[in-house]
Amino acid sequence: DQQVKQNSPSLSVQEGRISILNCDYTNSMFDYFLWYKKYPAEGPTFLISISSIKDKNEDGRFTVFLNKSAKHLSLHIVPSQPGDSAVYFCAATAWSGSEKLVFGKGTKLTVNP
Amino acid sequence: DVKVTQSSRYLVKRTGEKVFLECVQDMDHENMFWYRQDPGLGLRLIYFSYDVKMKEKGDIPEGYSVSREKKERFSLILESASTNQTSMYLCAATGPGTSGGEQYFGPGTRLTVT
Protein backbone atom coordinates (compact mmCIF):
# COMPACT_ATOMS: atom_id res chain seq x y z
CA ASP A 1 0.00 0.00 0.00
CA GLN A 2 1.69 3.14 -1.23
CA GLN A 3 1.02 5.98 1.18
CA VAL A 4 2.93 8.63 -0.77
CA LYS A 5 2.50 8.69 -4.51
CA GLN A 6 4.35 10.55 -7.21
CA ASN A 7 2.48 9.56 -10.32
CA SER A 8 4.81 11.19 -12.84
CA PRO A 9 8.07 9.27 -13.17
CA SER A 10 9.55 12.02 -15.30
CA LEU A 11 9.06 15.65 -16.29
CA SER A 12 10.82 17.73 -18.92
CA VAL A 13 10.71 21.55 -19.02
CA GLN A 14 12.53 24.36 -20.75
CA GLU A 15 14.99 26.53 -18.90
CA GLY A 16 13.30 29.61 -17.48
CA ARG A 17 9.85 28.03 -17.35
CA ILE A 18 8.00 26.70 -14.31
CA SER A 19 8.44 23.12 -13.13
CA ILE A 20 5.55 21.62 -11.17
CA LEU A 21 6.07 18.33 -9.38
CA ASN A 22 3.10 16.65 -7.78
CA CYS A 23 2.63 14.35 -4.82
CA ASP A 24 -0.44 12.68 -3.31
CA TYR A 25 -0.77 10.96 0.02
CA THR A 26 -3.34 8.69 1.59
CA ASN A 27 -2.54 8.72 5.31
CA SER A 28 -4.55 11.40 7.14
CA MET A 29 -2.11 11.23 10.05
CA PHE A 30 0.69 12.80 7.99
CA ASP A 31 1.28 16.32 9.21
CA TYR A 32 4.67 17.28 7.84
CA PHE A 33 5.86 17.04 4.27
CA LEU A 34 9.28 17.37 2.73
CA TRP A 35 10.89 17.49 -0.70
CA TYR A 36 14.31 16.05 -1.36
CA LYS A 37 16.49 16.43 -4.42
CA LYS A 38 18.87 13.72 -5.57
CA TYR A 39 21.64 13.80 -8.13
CA PRO A 40 23.04 10.53 -9.50
CA ALA A 41 25.61 8.85 -7.26
CA GLU A 42 24.83 11.24 -4.39
CA GLY A 43 22.61 11.07 -1.34
CA PRO A 44 19.33 13.03 -1.31
CA THR A 45 19.49 16.56 0.02
CA PHE A 46 16.67 18.33 1.81
CA LEU A 47 15.04 21.03 -0.28
CA ILE A 48 11.95 22.43 1.39
CA SER A 49 9.23 21.37 3.80
CA ILE A 50 5.75 22.34 4.91
CA SER A 51 3.71 21.76 8.01
CA SER A 52 0.05 20.80 7.79
CA ILE A 53 -0.89 24.05 9.52
CA LYS A 54 0.24 25.94 6.43
CA ASP A 55 -0.82 25.81 2.81
CA LYS A 56 2.27 27.38 1.29
CA ASN A 57 5.96 27.67 2.00
CA GLU A 58 8.42 29.54 -0.15
CA ASP A 59 12.21 29.49 -0.30
CA GLY A 60 13.74 31.39 -3.17
CA ARG A 61 12.81 29.74 -6.45
CA PHE A 62 11.09 26.86 -4.65
CA THR A 63 7.53 26.91 -3.35
CA VAL A 64 5.57 24.04 -1.89
CA PHE A 65 1.78 24.10 -1.81
CA LEU A 66 -0.33 21.85 0.39
CA ASN A 67 -4.00 21.03 -0.17
CA LYS A 68 -5.03 18.99 2.85
CA SER A 69 -8.56 18.33 1.72
CA ALA A 70 -7.26 16.80 -1.49
CA LYS A 71 -4.27 15.18 0.25
CA HIS A 72 -2.09 16.74 -2.40
CA LEU A 73 1.08 18.77 -2.45
CA SER A 74 3.12 20.26 -5.22
CA LEU A 75 6.58 21.72 -5.64
CA HIS A 76 6.97 24.70 -7.96
CA ILE A 77 10.35 25.72 -9.28
CA VAL A 78 10.46 29.15 -10.93
CA PRO A 79 12.43 29.80 -13.02
CA SER A 80 13.77 26.34 -13.76
CA GLN A 81 17.49 25.99 -14.37
CA PRO A 82 19.52 23.16 -15.94
CA GLY A 83 21.14 22.54 -12.54
CA ASP A 84 17.70 21.65 -11.20
CA SER A 85 17.79 18.46 -13.28
CA ALA A 86 17.61 15.69 -10.68
CA VAL A 87 15.23 13.20 -9.11
CA TYR A 88 12.81 14.79 -6.66
CA PHE A 89 11.34 12.79 -3.82
CA CYS A 90 8.29 13.74 -1.84
CA ALA A 91 8.22 12.50 1.77
CA ALA A 92 5.76 12.63 4.62
CA THR A 93 5.74 11.97 8.32
CA ALA A 94 3.22 11.72 11.12
CA TRP A 95 4.98 13.71 13.76
CA SER A 96 5.10 11.49 16.78
CA GLY A 97 8.74 11.95 17.60
CA SER A 98 9.84 8.99 15.54
CA GLU A 99 11.04 11.12 12.61
CA LYS A 100 10.34 8.22 10.30
CA LEU A 101 9.69 9.37 6.73
CA VAL A 102 7.62 7.72 4.02
CA PHE A 103 8.95 8.49 0.55
CA GLY A 104 7.35 8.54 -2.85
CA LYS A 105 9.00 6.85 -5.81
CA GLY A 106 10.43 10.06 -7.18
CA THR A 107 10.07 12.21 -10.29
CA LYS A 108 13.00 12.75 -12.60
CA LEU A 109 13.10 16.37 -13.69
CA THR A 110 15.03 17.37 -16.79
CA VAL A 111 15.49 21.07 -17.50
CA ASN A 112 16.56 21.66 -21.09
CA PRO A 113 18.75 24.67 -21.93
CA ASP B 1 27.63 21.53 9.00
CA VAL B 2 26.04 18.15 9.53
CA LYS B 3 27.92 15.24 8.03
CA VAL B 4 26.95 11.64 7.38
CA THR B 5 29.62 9.39 5.93
CA GLN B 6 29.45 5.89 4.54
CA SER B 7 32.43 3.56 4.49
CA SER B 8 32.37 2.72 0.77
CA ARG B 9 31.00 4.39 -2.34
CA TYR B 10 31.16 1.22 -4.44
CA LEU B 11 31.26 -2.39 -3.33
CA VAL B 12 31.22 -5.69 -5.22
CA LYS B 13 30.51 -8.87 -3.32
CA ARG B 14 29.77 -12.47 -4.17
CA THR B 15 26.55 -14.31 -3.45
CA GLY B 16 26.58 -15.76 0.05
CA GLU B 17 29.15 -13.36 1.47
CA LYS B 18 28.49 -11.47 4.69
CA VAL B 19 28.52 -7.74 3.96
CA PHE B 20 28.95 -4.84 6.36
CA LEU B 21 27.93 -1.31 5.40
CA GLU B 22 29.09 1.33 7.85
CA CYS B 23 27.58 4.73 8.50
CA VAL B 24 28.92 7.44 10.79
CA GLN B 25 27.32 10.75 11.70
CA ASP B 26 28.96 13.69 13.40
CA MET B 27 25.76 15.00 14.98
CA ASP B 28 25.04 14.15 18.56
CA HIS B 29 21.66 12.76 17.65
CA GLU B 30 19.88 9.55 18.30
CA ASN B 31 17.99 8.71 15.13
CA MET B 32 19.64 6.90 12.24
CA PHE B 33 18.14 5.15 9.21
CA TRP B 34 19.10 2.73 6.46
CA TYR B 35 17.34 2.84 3.07
CA ARG B 36 17.80 1.22 -0.26
CA GLN B 37 17.03 2.99 -3.49
CA ASP B 38 16.03 1.13 -6.62
CA PRO B 39 14.85 2.57 -9.95
CA GLY B 40 11.10 3.04 -9.98
CA LEU B 41 10.77 2.08 -6.31
CA GLY B 42 12.04 5.18 -4.55
CA LEU B 43 13.59 5.01 -1.10
CA ARG B 44 12.52 2.09 1.04
CA LEU B 45 13.29 1.93 4.75
CA ILE B 46 15.18 -1.16 5.87
CA TYR B 47 15.92 -0.47 9.55
CA PHE B 48 16.15 2.48 11.86
CA SER B 49 17.47 3.16 15.32
CA TYR B 50 16.41 5.62 17.99
CA ASP B 51 19.33 5.09 20.31
CA VAL B 52 22.31 2.95 21.07
CA LYS B 53 21.45 -0.73 21.20
CA MET B 54 17.97 -0.01 19.90
CA LYS B 55 16.66 -0.94 16.46
CA GLU B 56 13.34 -1.06 14.67
CA LYS B 57 12.36 -2.84 11.47
CA GLY B 58 11.41 -0.73 8.53
CA ASP B 59 9.39 -1.78 5.52
CA ILE B 60 11.82 -4.28 4.00
CA PRO B 61 14.01 -5.80 6.77
CA GLU B 62 14.19 -9.32 5.35
CA GLY B 63 17.75 -10.41 4.67
CA TYR B 64 19.25 -7.57 6.69
CA SER B 65 20.27 -6.86 10.26
CA VAL B 66 21.76 -3.82 11.97
CA SER B 67 24.11 -2.92 14.77
CA ARG B 68 24.24 0.27 16.84
CA GLU B 69 26.97 -0.03 19.47
CA LYS B 70 27.78 3.70 19.58
CA LYS B 71 25.54 6.68 19.00
CA GLU B 72 27.50 7.92 15.99
CA ARG B 73 27.73 4.59 14.14
CA PHE B 74 24.99 2.52 12.54
CA SER B 75 25.91 -0.60 10.57
CA LEU B 76 23.83 -2.51 8.07
CA ILE B 77 24.61 -6.20 7.73
CA LEU B 78 23.70 -8.49 4.87
CA GLU B 79 24.01 -11.90 6.47
CA SER B 80 24.25 -13.78 3.18
CA ALA B 81 24.28 -11.49 0.19
CA SER B 82 22.01 -12.29 -2.72
CA THR B 83 21.77 -10.80 -6.21
CA ASN B 84 18.43 -9.15 -5.38
CA GLN B 85 20.27 -7.07 -2.79
CA THR B 86 22.18 -5.28 -5.53
CA SER B 87 21.15 -1.69 -4.89
CA MET B 88 22.09 1.79 -3.74
CA TYR B 89 22.17 1.89 0.07
CA LEU B 90 21.64 5.19 1.81
CA CYS B 91 22.20 6.03 5.44
CA ALA B 92 20.49 9.01 7.06
CA ALA B 93 20.41 10.73 10.42
CA THR B 94 18.45 13.51 12.01
CA GLY B 95 20.33 16.41 13.44
CA PRO B 96 19.85 18.97 16.17
CA GLY B 97 17.68 21.88 15.22
CA THR B 98 15.74 19.96 12.62
CA SER B 99 12.02 19.68 12.77
CA GLY B 100 9.48 17.29 11.37
CA GLY B 101 12.01 14.60 10.66
CA GLU B 102 14.32 16.34 8.20
CA GLN B 103 17.02 13.78 7.54
CA TYR B 104 20.60 14.23 6.43
CA PHE B 105 21.84 11.59 4.02
CA GLY B 106 25.21 10.10 3.34
CA PRO B 107 26.56 9.80 -0.22
CA GLY B 108 25.35 6.22 -0.61
CA THR B 109 27.00 2.86 -1.25
CA ARG B 110 26.42 1.23 -4.61
CA LEU B 111 26.49 -2.50 -3.82
CA THR B 112 26.69 -5.10 -6.56
CA VAL B 113 26.23 -8.76 -5.66
CA THR B 114 27.43 -11.19 -8.32
Side-chain angles (χ1 to χ4, degrees):
Chain A
D1 179 29
Q2 202 179 340
Q3 298 185 70
V4 177
K5 300 178 184 179
Q6 293 178 257
N7 292 320
S8 298
S10 63
L11 175 68
S12 184
V13 300
Q14 286 299 120
E15 181 178 5
R17 306 294 290 268
I18 184 171
S19 295
I20 300 176
L21 295 91
N22 294 303
C23 179
D24 297 292
Y25 62 96
T26 57
N27 190 339
S28 300
M29 298 300 292
F30 288 149
D31 55 10
Y32 199 82
F33 305 89
L34 307 92
W35 285 93
Y36 282 80
K37 175 179 178 180
K38 186 182 185 299
Y39 293 117
E42 294 184 14
T45 55
F46 169 74
L47 193 57
I48 192 169
S49 62
I50 188 167
S51 164
S52 60
I53 63 173
K54 295 185 176 182
D55 55 17
K56 177 183 174 181
N57 188 28
E58 191 172 352
D59 183 3
R61 295 186 297 115
F62 303 91
T63 303
V64 57
F65 296 91
L66 175 63
N67 182 333
K68 283 176 291 186
S69 61
K71 292 190 177 70
H72 176 83
L73 62 154
S74 60
L75 174 68
H76 293 212
I77 306 173
V78 184
S80 301
Q81 299 173 355
D84 296 328
S85 297
V87 177
Y88 289 79
F89 291 100
C90 173
T93 184
W95 180 241
S96 59
S98 72
E99 300 181 346
K100 178 181 168 183
L101 296 178
V102 179
F103 284 87
K105 293 184 177 182
T107 296
K108 182 177 182 180
L109 173 66
T110 302
V111 180
N112 301 303
Chain B
D1 197 16
V2 169
K3 193 155 188 178
V4 179
T5 57
Q6 295 183 230
S7 52
S8 304
R9 294 299 302 271
Y10 300 93
L11 210 52
V12 180
K13 295 292 182 181
R14 293 189 182 276
T15 301
E17 278 193 81
K18 190 168 187 176
V19 181
F20 293 86
L21 302 181
E22 304 286 338
C23 176
V24 177
Q25 49 110 348
D26 67 357
M27 306 169 282
D28 188 28
H29 208 269
E30 290 80 18
N31 299 348
M32 296 186 75
F33 307 82
W34 273 107
Y35 297 88
R36 62 179 284 176
Q37 184 203 356
D38 300 288
L41 296 179
L43 275 70
R44 294 181 292 167
L45 182 63
I46 305 171
Y47 267 96
F48 58 106
S49 170
Y50 293 140
D51 204 346
V52 177
K53 305 284 188 182
M54 294 182 66
K55 60 185 179 184
E56 297 279 346
K57 292 181 180 179
D59 300 318
I60 51 164
E62 296 78 19
Y64 303 95
S65 62
V66 290
S67 173
R68 185 101 183 263
E69 296 295 320
K70 294 184 178 180
K71 181 185 272 191
E72 67 270 19
R73 189 179 298 269
F74 190 35
S75 302
L76 180 69
I77 303 159
L78 286 66
E79 297 290 342
S80 177
S82 64
T83 54
N84 63 13
Q85 291 178 311
T86 291
S87 186
M88 167 71 89
Y89 289 89
L90 293 159
C91 176
T94 52
T98 62
S99 60
E102 176 191 328
Q103 296 181 7
Y104 294 91
F105 283 83
T109 296
R110 170 70 65 184
L111 173 67
T112 302
V113 182
T114 60

Short mmCIF file of all heavy atoms in Angstrom, two decimals, chain A residues 22 31 41 64 70 86 101:
data_model
loop_
_atom_site.label_atom_id
_atom_site.label_comp_id
_atom_site.label_asym_id
_atom_site.label_seq_id
_atom_site.Cartn_x
_atom_site.Cartn_y
_atom_site.Cartn_z
N ASN A 22 4.27 16.96 -8.58
CA ASN A 22 3.10 16.65 -7.78
C ASN A 22 3.29 15.43 -6.88
O ASN A 22 4.07 14.53 -7.20
CB ASN A 22 1.89 16.42 -8.68
CG ASN A 22 1.47 17.67 -9.41
OD1 ASN A 22 1.19 18.69 -8.78
ND2 ASN A 22 1.43 17.61 -10.73
N ASP A 31 1.44 14.91 8.91
CA ASP A 31 1.28 16.32 9.21
C ASP A 31 2.51 17.15 8.88
O ASP A 31 2.58 18.33 9.23
CB ASP A 31 0.88 16.52 10.68
CG ASP A 31 1.86 15.84 11.64
OD1 ASP A 31 2.93 15.39 11.18
OD2 ASP A 31 1.55 15.77 12.84
N ALA A 41 24.43 9.22 -8.05
CA ALA A 41 25.61 8.85 -7.26
C ALA A 41 25.82 9.76 -6.04
O ALA A 41 26.94 9.86 -5.51
CB ALA A 41 26.87 8.84 -8.11
N VAL A 64 6.38 25.25 -2.07
CA VAL A 64 5.57 24.04 -1.89
C VAL A 64 4.17 24.46 -1.47
O VAL A 64 3.99 25.34 -0.62
CB VAL A 64 6.21 23.06 -0.87
CG1 VAL A 64 6.44 23.72 0.47
CG2 VAL A 64 5.37 21.82 -0.73
N ALA A 70 -7.51 17.69 -0.35
CA ALA A 70 -7.26 16.80 -1.49
C ALA A 70 -6.12 15.84 -1.22
O ALA A 70 -5.83 14.97 -2.06
CB ALA A 70 -6.94 17.63 -2.74
N ALA A 86 17.34 16.64 -11.77
CA ALA A 86 17.61 15.69 -10.68
C ALA A 86 16.35 14.86 -10.47
O ALA A 86 15.32 15.10 -11.10
CB ALA A 86 17.98 16.43 -9.40
N LEU A 101 10.27 8.80 7.94
CA LEU A 101 9.69 9.37 6.73
C LEU A 101 9.19 8.28 5.80
O LEU A 101 9.78 7.21 5.72
CB LEU A 101 10.74 10.20 5.99
CG LEU A 101 11.28 11.44 6.70
CD1 LEU A 101 12.34 12.11 5.83
CD2 LEU A 101 10.17 12.41 7.00
#
